[in-house]
């Protein structure tokens, strides 16, 4: 009951104050059970302005899901890919998942967020580690600038990820990482790309899936690897509650089965960002039905879209 009531309050708050960084901390909410506070987060009703206004658009829209889990969405005015980036704040370190697409620099926005968080916590600015949901250029464009500003950027290769997250057997083992009172699990999920990973945040029970599962076109380059990765993700979520699945893009509209054409910069009627475990099960079921001969097929909230394997090298 307590949870349901709090969620209701949060969604009402989201309706009023969407798309702003929450300045308030959770201090003062000490009467709530710790677990329910940790799970709480809010989502905006929309991630795009209702009318296009590139003259005044910020390169990154920033939304605090909660004070320690920040979502950044790159503006379509800077790149039609409009990727989502995630900033997770622990007590010792901050982790940025993806660094953006060409056309905008995420490092200034991330810097501001880290400084603001430090001020509110009355602590030093957290050191930043950046990793990637996978190695495609619409998720790695900010690497150089972040490195220049002192962040540790982990290269999007299986080897670098294995070393950093201590994953012995790629892609079968799950890696673990602790940002300080914030434990993460890293699940290798090659198939869309060779260095694709999913990240599970124990505190919010959010699962970040990059380009492997999101409301849009799921490009599959390696059908066998992708199918096995989805099987492993399903197995992982059988023993881990998932509050939301957040991917790295939105390409579908709010109309079931309908996506925006590739290259669309402005999507006023786009699908919600959040998916759930049911979508993962739907994807697994579809892949099993197709076997190794994947076909392009639309579902209510995403499309399976096989593409030719990447050339070697
Ligand atoms: Zn990709
Ligand atoms: Zn992408």
């Amino acid at each position: 009951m307590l949870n349901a009531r709090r969620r209701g309050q949060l969604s009402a708050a989201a309706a009023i104050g969407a798309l702003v960084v929450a300045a308030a901390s959770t201090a003062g909410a000490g009467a709530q059970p710790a677990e329910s506070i940790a799970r709480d987060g809010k989502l905006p009703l929309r991630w795009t302005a209702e009318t296009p206004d590139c003259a005044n658009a910020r390169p990154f829209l920033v939304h605090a899901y909660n004070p320690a889990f920040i979502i950044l969405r790159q503006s379509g005015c800077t790149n039609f890919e409009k990727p989502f980036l995630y900033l997770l704040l622990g007590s010792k370190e901050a982790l940025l998942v993806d660094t953006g697409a060409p056309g905008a620099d995420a490092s200034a926005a991330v810097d501001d967020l880290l400084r603001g968080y430090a001020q509110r916590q009355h602590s030093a600015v957290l050191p930043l580690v950046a990793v990637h949901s996978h190695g495609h250029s619409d998720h790695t464009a900010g690497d150089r600038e972040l490195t220049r500003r002192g962040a540790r950027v982990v290269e999007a290769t299986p080897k670098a990820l294995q070393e950093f997250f201590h994953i012995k057997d790629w892609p079968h083992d799950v890696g673990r990482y602790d940002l300080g009172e914030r434990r993460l699990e890293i699940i290798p999920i090659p198939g869309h790309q060779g260095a694709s990973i999913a990240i599970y945040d124990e505190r919010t029970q959010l699962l970040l899936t990059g380009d492997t599962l999101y409301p849009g076109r799921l490009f599959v380059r390696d059908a066998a690897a992708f199918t096995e990765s989805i099987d492993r993700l399903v197995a992982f979520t059988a023993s881990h509650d998932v509050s939301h699945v957040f991917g790295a893009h939105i390409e579908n509209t709010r109309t079931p089965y309908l996506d925006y054409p590739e290259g669309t910069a402005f999507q006023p009627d786009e699908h919600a960002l959040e998916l759930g475990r049911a979508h993962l099960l739907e994807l697994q079921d579809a892949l099993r039905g197709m076997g190794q001969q994947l076909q392009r097929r639309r579902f209510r909230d995403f499309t399976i879209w096989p593409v030719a394997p990447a050339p070697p090298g």
Side-chain angles (χ1 to χ4, degrees):
M1 282 303 284
L2 184 67
N3 260 347
R5 209 165 49 238
R6 273 183 63 79
R7 291 226 168 85
Q9 287 164 358
L10 284 164
S11 51
I16 299 161
L19 311 186
V20 293
V21 182
S25 76
T26 51
Q32 305 287 344
E35 196 181 59
S36 82
I37 293 168
R39 285 182 184 191
D40 283 340
K42 61 181 194 230
L43 285 163
L45 293 181
R46 49 190 304 130
W47 292 98
T48 341
E50 288 185 49
T51 49
D53 181 12
C54 284
N56 295 308
R58 284 174 295 165
F60 288 89
L61 185 153
V62 174
H63 172 81
Y65 178 79
N66 67 37
F69 191 106
I70 315 291
I71 307 175
L72 295 94
R73 207 264 176 104
Q74 188 168 340
S75 165
C77 297
T78 67
N79 192 304
F80 75 88
E81 294 281 9
K82 306 175 287 301
F84 288 84
L85 288 61
Y86 300 95
L87 181 64
L88 288 70
L89 301 147
S91 62
K92 293 193 193 126
E93 245 178 359
L95 181 82
L96 179 66
V97 182
D98 288 344
T99 68
D105 167 26
S107 66
V110 171
D111 237 29
D112 283 353
L113 288 164
L114 292 176
R115 285 177 200 288
Y117 186 75
Q119 265 176 13
R120 288 193 296 280
Q121 299 289 315
H122 306 290
S123 61
V125 173
L126 290 169
L128 178 67
V129 177
V131 297
H132 312 86
S133 60
H134 62 294
H136 286 154
S137 59
D138 53 326
H139 304 273
T140 62
D143 285 9
R144 187 181 295 186
E145 192 53 28
L146 282 157
T147 305
R148 199 188 65 75
R149 287 180 185 245
R152 173 166 186 182
V153 178
V154 180
E155 209 187 339
T157 63
K159 186 170 179 289
L161 291 164
Q162 272 189 274
E163 280 172 14
F164 188 76
F165 290 123
H166 305 292
I167 300 170
K168 273 196 198 138
D169 177 15
W170 177 280
H172 303 102
D173 285 348
V174 171
R176 285 177 182 80
Y177 196 73
D178 193 343
L179 297 172
E181 296 162 65
R182 177 161 223 140
R183 283 182 301 194
L184 309 174
E185 298 199 49
I186 291 84
I187 307 114
I189 48 168
H192 169 73
Q193 198 256 335
S196 292
I197 52 171
I199 297 177
Y200 180 75
D201 176 32
E202 203 176 276
R203 214 149 108 179
T204 54
Q205 301 181 324
L206 293 168
L207 181 66
L208 307 178
T209 49
D211 282 6
T212 297
L213 177 59
Y214 67 93
R217 296 176 282 274
L218 311 182
F219 294 126
V220 181
R221 289 207 179 272
D222 182 334
F226 191 86
T227 302
E228 285 173 24
S229 291
I230 297 305
D231 284 345
R232 284 198 311 279
L233 261 189
V234 167
F236 178 87
T237 56
S239 56
H240 296 74
D241 287 350
V242 175
S243 52
H244 296 296
V245 172
F246 287 160
H249 302 276
I250 299 174
E251 290 159 356
N252 270 44
T253 70
R254 288 186 190 275
T255 305
Y257 297 92
L258 183 65
D259 54 350
Y260 281 102
E262 193 173 347
T264 303
F266 181 62
Q267 301 182 166
D269 295 311
E270 67 185 6
H271 194 288
L273 167 67
E274 65 273 22
L275 298 177
R277 183 171 191 260
H279 293 94
L280 203 50
L281 295 175
E282 186 179 25
L283 178 56
Q284 182 189 43
D285 184 61
L287 293 168
R288 282 188 173 167
M290 291 182 197
Q292 290 307 307
Q293 290 301 310
L294 295 194
Q295 301 126 32
R296 189 183 306 176
R297 192 172 152 204
R298 286 178 194 284
F299 294 83
R300 183 181 181 275
D301 301 298
F302 56 82
T303 303
I304 295 176
W305 199 300
V307 290

